[in-house]
Each structure stands twice: as structure tokens, then as C-alpha cells.
Amino acid sequence: MTNIILLGPPGAGKGTQARHLTDSRGMVQLSTGDMLREAQANGSEMGKKVADVIARGELVTDEIVIGLIREKIAEGAEGGFIFDGFPRTLGQADALGELLAEMGLSLDAVIEMAVDDAALVARITGRSTCGGCGEVYHDETKPWAADGKCTNCGSTDVKRRADDNEDSLKTRLMEYYKKTSPLLGYYYAKGDLTSIDGLSSMEAVRDDIAKVLG
Ligand code: ADP
Ligand code: ZN
């Protein structure tokens, strides 16, 4: 069993790679972003509370996301966990270390997907996903088919995130550099960090991650 963190700025491709690892290795993806969007879709009290913060591109409190992750870790995962979008602050990183230790689990690798800022803006501003299956599309590099149907599942439900606009993206990048990028030093010092080039093709990134996982 392998537990890993995918670390990188918004738009680095963490979700795409996590989906692949789920399919190919039976790992369980824990995306706090997905969990928070689900809470909003369900109309829960917590979902309502965080909606504005997320739309602006700011981080929600450590307390909320640590609570979400604690529940999921307690459920266990035979193929291991992929932490995607968590931890995002040093406080979350410490909390994750404690939660894993409590469950007798270890962290096997932290993979940084390095991407430059100009590429991120281009990737994110054209992004959409399929409401049916989660397939990720991009207006320029991977557009929807002419008939408007998802090539994977046939759904016509095109979803765009409220925070995938230029203003929110600026805030998300600033939050990343101020609060999340210190985690690179933190995990480097612990000896857990491997950096890969997130700008290579999807397949090359896949291979790089596979090499780290062995
Ligand atoms: P991306 O990586 O594309 O920015 P995510 O889907 O991971 O997006 O997260 C979307 C938003 O959800 C974040 O901008 C933030 O508001 C909130 N969020 C997700 N994960 C966390 C976290 N670990 N800590 C605080 N806020 C989070
Ligand atoms: Zn689909």
C-alpha cells in the first residue's frame, strides 16, 4: 500500500493524474476540492458556509478540511491514498502526519508537479469537465466533440467551476505561493519530496509518477 501527496499549483494536473492512479492502481483519491464542491452541491450547512470563500479563490479553514480528511482516512483504502489538494498549509501538513500515524499508516512520497504560471492561466481559463463522468476538457487543447457529447460517457453536461475565472485564479495562485509552496521545503527537509515536470505530456507525467511509485 502506498500513500502519496500530489503537490502543485491550481491547474498543475493533479486531478487528471489522480484519476489515472485510481483506475490503474486501485488507489483512493482524496480531493478536498471535490469534497467541498460536493458539500455545496448537497446544500449542507458547511457547503453554504464555504461557497463564497471558494468562489473568491481563498482557502477554507484548516479545521474544515482536516475534519473532511479525518473521516476519509478512518474508512481506510487497500490500494493507498492519493492526497490531491491537501495539505495546503503547514498546519494541514502537521495534522496529516498525525492522522496517518494514528492509523498506523505512513506517507510514502510527495510528488511536486512543477508548472509555470503562464501555463496555469491558459490551462485553467479554458477548462471544463463532464458532469457525467468527470472527464476533463479544454477549449483549445481538448475541446468537446461537435455533437456536444462526452467521448467517454456520452453525457452533454458541461461543467465549469465558479472559481475558474481570471480574478479568482489570481487569488488562488497567491494563496498557493503564500501558504502552500512552503510545503515543498517542509517535505524536502523530511526527505519525502520528488519533483517532476508537470508541463510534459500527460503520458510522460504518468510515467514519471509511476517511476516514483515503483
Ligand atoms: P485547484 O487545485 O484547481 O485550485 P481544488 O479543487 O483543489 O482546486 O480546490 C478548490 C478550492 O477549494 C480552493 O481554491 C479552496 O478554496 C478550497 N480548498 C480545497 N482544498 C483545500 C484545502 N486543503 N485547504 C483549504 N481550502 C481548500
Ligand atoms: Zn463524460
Side-chain angles (χ1 to χ4, degrees), residues 2 4 9 32 39 43 48 54 65-67 71 90 98 102 108 110 130 132 134 137 143-144 153 165 171 212:
T2 312
I4 65 166
T32 41
K48 284 181 202 153
I54 292 176
V65 290
I66 292 167
E71 275 177 34
L90 291 167
E98 282 163 24
E102 271 169 31
D108 301 291
V110 178
C130 170
Y137 289 89
W144 285 72
C153 77
N165 61 72
T171 308
V212 178

Side-chain angles (χ1 to χ4, degrees), residues 19 36 78 83 85 187 201:
R19 273 166 62 82
L36 292 167
E78 266 181 44
F83 297 97
Y187 286 117
S201 70

Side-chain angles (χ1 to χ4, degrees), residues 160-177:
R160 287 190 197 267
R161 279 169 46 172
D163 59 348
D164 274 355
N165 61 72
E166 230 165 301
D167 272 353
S168 304
L169 178 56
K170 266 188 206 149
T171 308
R172 283 157 69 196
L173 275 179
M174 193 57 86
E175 291 282 74
Y176 178 78
Y177 287 112

Side-chain angles (χ1 to χ4, degrees), residues 22-42:
T22 312
D23 294 344
S24 61
R25 295 185 183 240
M27 296 175 79
V28 172
Q29 175 189 13
L30 296 186
S31 159
T32 41
D34 286 348
M35 293 175 206
L36 292 167
R37 280 185 288 278
E38 215 173 276
Q40 285 181 70
N42 295 340

Side-chain angles (χ1 to χ4, degrees), residues 174-185:
M174 193 57 86
E175 291 282 74
Y176 178 78
Y177 287 112
K178 282 202 296 202
K179 297 174 184 165
T180 308
S181 67
L183 299 188
L184 295 169

Side-chain angles (χ1 to χ4, degrees), residues 129-135 137 144 149-157:
T129 53
C130 170
C133 71
E135 186 76 6
Y137 289 89
W144 285 72
K149 285 189 183 156
C150 173
T151 46
N152 191 41
C153 77
S155 165
T156 54
D157 183 11

